[in-house]
Amino acid sequence: MPNRPVLDFWYEFASPYSFLSALRIEPLAEAAGVTLRWRPFLLGPIFAAQGWSTSPFALYPSKGRYMWRDVERRAGRNGLALVKPETFPQNSLIAARLALAGREAGWMPAFSKALFQAGFGEGRNIAEEAVLNAALKQAGADPGVAFPASRSEEVKGRLRAEIEYAKSIGIFGAPTFVTEDGEVFWGDDRLEEALDWSKHGR
């Protein structure tokens, strides 16, 4: 039996469009026969390299208004509630480190989905320890193990390396999907196309 194709799913916990993809990607990938590789990273350093101090959706009010309405429409179509967080973009550093700490243990996807639901489904602050704790427990992870692991130099270095690798392959936003042959698809609305390319190629 041939190996299943692998699709890299690059996502940022502060990204509303990543929220949309994270909560729908698994059944679509399974139906397509594609294996997912969840890759949390931070957009802040990537935006900074482009001369932006924050998200372009925060820098340009008209773009931000459109984005929130667009996400609301897409969420509604997918049966998801959307609650805009009080602060945008949120600080997602600890969230990304925690997710990477759970890669080998296998709870990264479940934690990611739980935290996205808290952040954009309920408007919670994803930098708060109580919110992170709840997402870890929902994913079956032990916060007493996960938090110390997330503060290790190994995990901090892993996140830095992921950001640098994302830069090197031209990622500039989230979510981004990258196929095994290096094809890059940006945005929740490109998910199905990315899965199709991953399976069938050009």
Side-chain angles (χ1 to χ4, degrees):
M1 187 176 173
N3 290 334
R4 286 162 58 115
V6 176
L7 182 69
D8 281 347
F9 168 36
W10 291 86
Y11 59 100
E12 150 73 84
F13 283 107
S15 158
Y17 287 108
S18 292
F19 153 70
L20 295 175
S21 290
L23 294 188
R24 72 191 193 96
I25 194 170
E26 286 181 319
L28 293 175
E30 189 55 41
V34 172
T35 296
L36 289 176
R37 191 154 46 200
W38 293 65
R39 302 192 79 152
F41 73 119
L42 298 177
L43 279 172
I46 289 173
F47 289 158
Q50 297 176 61
W52 295 338
S53 59
T54 184
S55 164
F57 295 126
L59 284 173
Y60 306 107
S62 58
K63 193 170 190 170
R65 283 192 297 272
Y66 172 82
M67 178 274 289
W68 285 113
R69 182 63 188 129
D70 187 46
V71 172
E72 186 177 43
R73 285 193 303 254
R74 295 184 70 80
R77 196 178 68 185
N78 295 333
L80 299 173
L82 175 71
V83 180
K84 184 180 175 182
E86 199 171 304
T87 302
F88 178 80
Q90 294 204 58
N91 184 334
S92 54
L93 174 62
I94 299 171
R97 286 177 178 167
L98 279 169
L100 285 171
R103 177 174 279 169
E104 279 76 30
W107 47 258
M108 179 196 278
F111 166 74
S112 299
K113 289 185 293 180
L115 196 61
F116 273 122
Q117 179 59 35
F120 292 107
E122 299 161 21
R124 307 286 300 281
N125 182 349
I126 63 167
E128 285 182 4
E129 190 167 334
V131 176
L132 293 162
N133 259 318
L136 285 166
K137 288 175 181 172
Q138 198 175 324
D142 180 354
V145 174
F147 272 100
S150 74
R151 291 190 284 266
S152 70
E153 289 307 313
E154 180 196 349
V155 168
K156 290 178 181 179
R158 195 183 299 174
L159 179 56
R160 286 193 295 269
E162 286 288 84
I163 294 165
E164 289 307 310
Y165 181 61
K167 284 182 189 174
S168 76
I169 59 174
I171 290 178
F172 56 87
T176 295
F177 314 100
V178 184
T179 62
E180 285 179 290
D181 62 353
E183 205 69 26
V184 176
F185 297 85
W186 169 56
D188 176 61
D189 58 347
R190 292 293 183 268
L191 171 53
E192 285 83 354
E193 190 179 342
L195 287 166
D196 185 66
W197 188 288
S198 193
K199 186 172 183 180
H200 302 293
R202 191 187 307 275

Tab-separated table of all heavy atoms in Angstrom, residues 111-155:
chain	number	residue	atom	x	y	z
A	111	PHE	N	-5.102	19.906	21.610
A	111	PHE	CA	-4.849	21.139	22.355
A	111	PHE	C	-5.086	22.354	21.458
A	111	PHE	O	-5.712	23.336	21.868
A	111	PHE	CB	-3.409	21.148	22.880
A	111	PHE	CG	-2.947	22.504	23.364
A	111	PHE	CD1	-3.398	23.017	24.567
A	111	PHE	CD2	-2.067	23.262	22.603
A	111	PHE	CE1	-2.975	24.276	25.005
A	111	PHE	CE2	-1.642	24.511	23.026
A	111	PHE	CZ	-2.092	25.024	24.235
A	112	SER	N	-4.592	22.292	20.231
A	112	SER	CA	-4.732	23.411	19.300
A	112	SER	C	-6.197	23.717	19.036
A	112	SER	O	-6.629	24.878	19.078
A	112	SER	CB	-4.004	23.106	17.987
A	112	SER	OG	-2.619	22.909	18.219
A	113	LYS	N	-6.984	22.681	18.781
A	113	LYS	CA	-8.409	22.883	18.512
A	113	LYS	C	-9.129	23.452	19.737
A	113	LYS	O	-9.961	24.357	19.611
A	113	LYS	CB	-9.053	21.566	18.075
A	113	LYS	CG	-8.635	21.122	16.678
A	113	LYS	CD	-9.386	19.881	16.227
A	113	LYS	CE	-9.015	18.683	17.060
A	113	LYS	NZ	-9.745	17.466	16.633
A	114	ALA	N	-8.782	22.932	20.919
A	114	ALA	CA	-9.418	23.417	22.154
A	114	ALA	C	-9.077	24.884	22.389
A	114	ALA	O	-9.937	25.677	22.798
A	114	ALA	CB	-8.974	22.564	23.341
A	115	LEU	N	-7.829	25.265	22.118
A	115	LEU	CA	-7.433	26.651	22.355
A	115	LEU	C	-8.029	27.592	21.310
A	115	LEU	O	-8.425	28.718	21.641
A	115	LEU	CB	-5.907	26.774	22.391
A	115	LEU	CG	-5.392	28.078	23.000
A	115	LEU	CD1	-5.843	28.221	24.461
A	115	LEU	CD2	-3.883	28.177	22.912
A	116	PHE	N	-8.102	27.150	20.063
A	116	PHE	CA	-8.768	27.967	19.046
A	116	PHE	C	-10.237	28.190	19.416
A	116	PHE	O	-10.776	29.284	19.252
A	116	PHE	CB	-8.682	27.307	17.672
A	116	PHE	CG	-7.440	27.650	16.900
A	116	PHE	CD1	-6.575	26.661	16.469
A	116	PHE	CD2	-7.143	28.978	16.583
A	116	PHE	CE1	-5.426	26.982	15.751
A	116	PHE	CE2	-6.009	29.311	15.859
A	116	PHE	CZ	-5.139	28.307	15.445
A	117	GLN	N	-10.878	27.153	19.916
A	117	GLN	CA	-12.280	27.276	20.324
A	117	GLN	C	-12.419	28.285	21.460
A	117	GLN	O	-13.338	29.113	21.461
A	117	GLN	CB	-12.821	25.901	20.740
A	117	GLN	CG	-14.262	25.902	21.215
A	117	GLN	CD	-15.245	26.415	20.181
A	117	GLN	OE1	-15.075	26.196	18.988
A	117	GLN	NE2	-16.266	27.134	20.628
A	118	ALA	N	-11.488	28.244	22.407
A	118	ALA	CA	-11.520	29.194	23.516
A	118	ALA	C	-11.276	30.618	23.021
A	118	ALA	O	-11.965	31.557	23.429
A	118	ALA	CB	-10.475	28.812	24.569
A	119	GLY	N	-10.298	30.771	22.126
A	119	GLY	CA	-9.898	32.094	21.674
A	119	GLY	C	-10.906	32.776	20.774
A	119	GLY	O	-11.212	33.963	20.947
A	120	PHE	N	-11.427	32.030	19.808
A	120	PHE	CA	-12.331	32.645	18.829
A	120	PHE	C	-13.773	32.158	18.930
A	120	PHE	O	-14.679	32.817	18.444
A	120	PHE	CB	-11.804	32.417	17.410
A	120	PHE	CG	-10.532	33.168	17.129
A	120	PHE	CD1	-9.321	32.507	17.034
A	120	PHE	CD2	-10.550	34.546	16.976
A	120	PHE	CE1	-8.134	33.205	16.788
A	120	PHE	CE2	-9.375	35.259	16.732
A	120	PHE	CZ	-8.163	34.582	16.640
A	121	GLY	N	-13.979	30.994	19.557
A	121	GLY	CA	-15.339	30.520	19.754
A	121	GLY	C	-15.974	31.124	20.996
A	121	GLY	O	-17.189	31.233	21.101
A	122	GLU	N	-15.101	31.519	21.965
A	122	GLU	CA	-15.597	32.051	23.230
A	122	GLU	C	-15.001	33.419	23.559
A	122	GLU	O	-15.380	34.029	24.559
A	122	GLU	CB	-15.276	31.060	24.361
A	122	GLU	CG	-15.922	29.695	24.166
A	122	GLU	CD	-15.245	28.603	25.001
A	122	GLU	OE1	-14.569	28.943	26.001
A	122	GLU	OE2	-15.381	27.419	24.640
A	123	GLY	N	-14.051	33.886	22.761
A	123	GLY	CA	-13.452	35.197	22.992
A	123	GLY	C	-12.548	35.262	24.209
A	123	GLY	O	-12.310	36.337	24.763
A	124	ARG	N	-12.005	34.101	24.630
A	124	ARG	CA	-11.134	34.065	25.819
A	124	ARG	C	-9.732	34.539	25.476
A	124	ARG	O	-9.314	34.509	24.319
A	124	ARG	CB	-11.064	32.636	26.375
A	124	ARG	CG	-12.396	31.970	26.662
A	124	ARG	CD	-13.078	32.500	27.907
A	124	ARG	NE	-12.285	32.322	29.118
A	124	ARG	CZ	-12.184	31.173	29.797
A	124	ARG	NH1	-12.832	30.089	29.373
A	124	ARG	NH2	-11.460	31.105	30.895
A	125	ASN	N	-8.979	34.919	26.509
A	125	ASN	CA	-7.596	35.369	26.341
A	125	ASN	C	-6.669	34.156	26.356
A	125	ASN	O	-6.465	33.538	27.406
A	125	ASN	CB	-7.227	36.346	27.463
A	125	ASN	CG	-5.817	36.901	27.315
A	125	ASN	OD1	-5.023	36.427	26.498
A	125	ASN	ND2	-5.492	37.902	28.103
A	126	ILE	N	-6.086	33.826	25.214
A	126	ILE	CA	-5.278	32.605	25.097
A	126	ILE	C	-3.909	32.728	25.756
A	126	ILE	O	-3.149	31.751	25.781
A	126	ILE	CB	-5.118	32.163	23.628
A	126	ILE	CG1	-4.369	33.235	22.816
A	126	ILE	CG2	-6.471	31.832	23.013
A	126	ILE	CD1	-3.902	32.735	21.440
A	127	ALA	N	-3.593	33.899	26.291
A	127	ALA	CA	-2.335	34.046	27.028
A	127	ALA	C	-2.524	33.769	28.515
A	127	ALA	O	-1.551	33.661	29.253
A	127	ALA	CB	-1.769	35.456	26.835
A	128	GLU	N	-3.785	33.645	28.951
A	128	GLU	CA	-4.062	33.400	30.371
A	128	GLU	C	-3.814	31.938	30.720
A	128	GLU	O	-4.257	31.027	30.004
A	128	GLU	CB	-5.511	33.767	30.704
A	128	GLU	CG	-5.762	35.253	30.786
A	128	GLU	CD	-7.199	35.571	31.177
A	128	GLU	OE1	-7.980	34.627	31.458
A	128	GLU	OE2	-7.545	36.767	31.179
A	129	GLU	N	-3.156	31.739	31.850
A	129	GLU	CA	-2.800	30.377	32.258
A	129	GLU	C	-4.039	29.497	32.445
A	129	GLU	O	-4.026	28.318	32.086
A	129	GLU	CB	-1.978	30.413	33.548
A	129	GLU	CG	-1.377	29.065	33.894
A	129	GLU	CD	-0.315	29.133	34.977
A	129	GLU	OE1	0.326	30.190	35.140
A	129	GLU	OE2	-0.137	28.101	35.658
A	130	ALA	N	-5.118	30.069	32.979
A	130	ALA	CA	-6.333	29.273	33.206
A	130	ALA	C	-6.917	28.771	31.887
A	130	ALA	O	-7.395	27.637	31.796
A	130	ALA	CB	-7.370	30.109	33.953
A	131	VAL	N	-6.862	29.599	30.854
A	131	VAL	CA	-7.391	29.215	29.537
A	131	VAL	C	-6.499	28.131	28.916
A	131	VAL	O	-6.988	27.143	28.358
A	131	VAL	CB	-7.485	30.455	28.616
A	131	VAL	CG1	-7.938	30.064	27.218
A	131	VAL	CG2	-8.443	31.484	29.211
A	132	LEU	N	-5.194	28.317	29.035
A	132	LEU	CA	-4.245	27.316	28.518
A	132	LEU	C	-4.385	26.000	29.275
A	132	LEU	O	-4.375	24.924	28.673
A	132	LEU	CB	-2.817	27.856	28.635
A	132	LEU	CG	-2.497	29.051	27.725
A	132	LEU	CD1	-1.257	29.792	28.209
A	132	LEU	CD2	-2.296	28.593	26.288
A	133	ASN	N	-4.532	26.099	30.597
A	133	ASN	CA	-4.733	24.902	31.429
A	133	ASN	C	-5.945	24.112	30.984
A	133	ASN	O	-5.900	22.884	30.855
A	133	ASN	CB	-4.930	25.319	32.891
A	133	ASN	CG	-3.675	25.139	33.722
A	133	ASN	OD1	-2.982	24.140	33.605
A	133	ASN	ND2	-3.378	26.112	34.566
A	134	ALA	N	-7.045	24.819	30.764
A	134	ALA	CA	-8.289	24.155	30.368
A	134	ALA	C	-8.121	23.447	29.020
A	134	ALA	O	-8.608	22.329	28.832
A	134	ALA	CB	-9.426	25.168	30.306
A	135	ALA	N	-7.442	24.104	28.087
A	135	ALA	CA	-7.225	23.497	26.769
A	135	ALA	C	-6.332	22.264	26.873
A	135	ALA	O	-6.558	21.251	26.200
A	135	ALA	CB	-6.620	24.519	25.810
A	136	LEU	N	-5.308	22.339	27.721
A	136	LEU	CA	-4.424	21.179	27.929
A	136	LEU	C	-5.209	20.003	28.501
A	136	LEU	O	-5.102	18.866	28.020
A	136	LEU	CB	-3.281	21.554	28.878
A	136	LEU	CG	-2.172	22.436	28.296
A	136	LEU	CD1	-1.297	22.998	29.416
A	136	LEU	CD2	-1.322	21.661	27.295
A	137	LYS	N	-6.025	20.276	29.512
A	137	LYS	CA	-6.797	19.199	30.135
A	137	LYS	C	-7.801	18.607	29.150
A	137	LYS	O	-8.011	17.390	29.127
A	137	LYS	CB	-7.507	19.728	31.387
A	137	LYS	CG	-6.553	20.004	32.540
A	137	LYS	CD	-7.278	20.647	33.715
A	137	LYS	CE	-6.303	20.936	34.853
A	137	LYS	NZ	-6.936	21.724	35.936
A	138	GLN	N	-8.399	19.473	28.350
A	138	GLN	CA	-9.353	18.992	27.342
A	138	GLN	C	-8.660	18.061	26.342
A	138	GLN	O	-9.273	17.133	25.813
A	138	GLN	CB	-9.961	20.187	26.606
A	138	GLN	CG	-11.246	19.861	25.871
A	138	GLN	CD	-11.873	21.116	25.268
A	138	GLN	OE1	-11.820	22.196	25.861
A	138	GLN	NE2	-12.459	20.984	24.104
A	139	ALA	N	-7.367	18.321	26.094
A	139	ALA	CA	-6.595	17.513	25.147
A	139	ALA	C	-5.996	16.269	25.802
A	139	ALA	O	-5.313	15.490	25.137
A	139	ALA	CB	-5.482	18.360	24.538
A	140	GLY	N	-6.241	16.101	27.094
A	140	GLY	CA	-5.701	14.943	27.803
A	140	GLY	C	-4.258	15.110	28.221
A	140	GLY	O	-3.575	14.126	28.524
A	141	ALA	N	-3.774	16.356	28.254
A	141	ALA	CA	-2.393	16.631	28.645
A	141	ALA	C	-2.336	17.057	30.109
A	141	ALA	O	-3.297	17.612	30.642
A	141	ALA	CB	-1.796	17.720	27.764
A	142	ASP	N	-1.207	16.832	30.735
A	142	ASP	CA	-0.994	17.208	32.129
A	142	ASP	C	-0.314	18.581	32.167
A	142	ASP	O	0.849	18.703	31.775
A	142	ASP	CB	-0.109	16.168	32.814
A	142	ASP	CG	0.169	16.488	34.284
A	142	ASP	OD1	-0.238	17.576	34.741
A	142	ASP	OD2	0.786	15.646	34.956
A	143	PRO	N	-1.017	19.617	32.625
A	143	PRO	CA	-0.401	20.950	32.676
A	143	PRO	C	0.885	20.982	33.504
A	143	PRO	O	1.804	21.739	33.198
A	143	PRO	CB	-1.486	21.825	33.325
A	143	PRO	CG	-2.771	21.127	33.009
A	143	PRO	CD	-2.435	19.663	33.053
A	144	GLY	N	0.957	20.133	34.530
A	144	GLY	CA	2.145	20.074	35.379
A	144	GLY	C	3.377	19.578	34.646
A	144	GLY	O	4.511	19.829	35.072
A	145	VAL	N	3.165	18.880	33.547
A	145	VAL	CA	4.273	18.415	32.703
A	145	VAL	C	4.451	19.351	31.513
A	145	VAL	O	5.574	19.688	31.128
A	145	VAL	CB	3.998	16.971	32.209
A	145	VAL	CG1	5.062	16.531	31.209
A	145	VAL	CG2	3.926	16.007	33.388
A	146	ALA	N	3.322	19.783	30.934
A	146	ALA	CA	3.367	20.569	29.695
A	146	ALA	C	4.005	21.941	29.889
A	146	ALA	O	4.827	22.368	29.063
A	146	ALA	CB	1.958	20.726	29.130
A	147	PHE	N	3.652	22.638	30.962
A	147	PHE	CA	4.193	23.994	31.155
A	147	PHE	C	5.716	23.993	31.339
A	147	PHE	O	6.411	24.770	30.672
A	147	PHE	CB	3.491	24.704	32.313
A	147	PHE	CG	2.247	25.430	31.899
A	147	PHE	CD1	0.988	24.874	32.111
A	147	PHE	CD2	2.316	26.665	31.268
A	147	PHE	CE1	-0.164	25.535	31.714
A	147	PHE	CE2	1.170	27.339	30.871
A	147	PHE	CZ	-0.073	26.766	31.088
A	148	PRO	N	6.263	23.130	32.214
A	148	PRO	CA	7.732	23.101	32.326
A	148	PRO	C	8.411	22.733	30.996
A	148	PRO	O	9.442	23.309	30.639
A	148	PRO	CB	7.985	22.039	33.394
A	148	PRO	CG	6.736	22.006	34.208
A	148	PRO	CD	5.629	22.274	33.235
A	149	ALA	N	7.809	21.809	30.265
A	149	ALA	CA	8.389	21.419	28.973
A	149	ALA	C	8.399	22.594	28.000
A	149	ALA	O	9.353	22.808	27.252
A	149	ALA	CB	7.612	20.245	28.373
A	150	SER	N	7.328	23.400	28.035
A	150	SER	CA	7.225	24.533	27.110
A	150	SER	C	8.257	25.615	27.403
A	150	SER	O	8.590	26.422	26.531
A	150	SER	CB	5.816	25.146	27.165
A	150	SER	OG	5.634	25.899	28.355
A	151	ARG	N	8.752	25.627	28.646
A	151	ARG	CA	9.745	26.636	29.030
A	151	ARG	C	11.179	26.158	28.809
A	151	ARG	O	12.128	26.892	29.081
A	151	ARG	CB	9.537	27.032	30.498
A	151	ARG	CG	8.251	27.813	30.728
A	151	ARG	CD	8.183	28.393	32.140
A	151	ARG	NE	7.856	27.380	33.131
A	151	ARG	CZ	6.622	27.125	33.568
A	151	ARG	NH1	5.589	27.810	33.096
A	151	ARG	NH2	6.410	26.204	34.484
A	152	SER	N	11.337	24.921	28.334
A	152	SER	CA	12.685	24.375	28.123
A	152	SER	C	13.369	25.059	26.940
A	152	SER	O	12.707	25.548	26.016
A	152	SER	CB	12.609	22.863	27.865
A	152	SER	OG	12.022	22.611	26.597
A	153	GLU	N	14.684	25.081	26.971
A	153	GLU	CA	15.446	25.677	25.865
A	153	GLU	C	15.210	24.910	24.575
A	153	GLU	O	15.235	25.482	23.490
A	153	GLU	CB	16.939	25.715	26.210
A	153	GLU	CG	17.294	26.736	27.279
A	153	GLU	CD	16.783	28.145	26.967
A	153	GLU	OE1	16.971	28.611	25.832
A	153	GLU	OE2	16.168	28.771	27.864
A	154	GLU	N	14.974	23.611	24.715
A	154	GLU	CA	14.731	22.779	23.521
A	154	GLU	C	13.475	23.243	22.775
A	154	GLU	O	13.482	23.432	21.559
A	154	GLU	CB	14.581	21.311	23.916
A	154	GLU	CG	14.328	20.399	22.728
A	154	GLU	CD	13.799	19.023	23.124
A	154	GLU	OE1	13.817	18.691	24.329
A	154	GLU	OE2	13.357	18.298	22.209
A	155	VAL	N	12.391	23.447	23.511
A	155	VAL	CA	11.135	23.858	22.878
A	155	VAL	C	11.227	25.293	22.371
A	155	VAL	O	10.752	25.611	21.273
A	155	VAL	CB	9.940	23.679	23.846
A	155	VAL	CG1	8.698	24.377	23.313
A	155	VAL	CG2	9.655	22.191	24.048
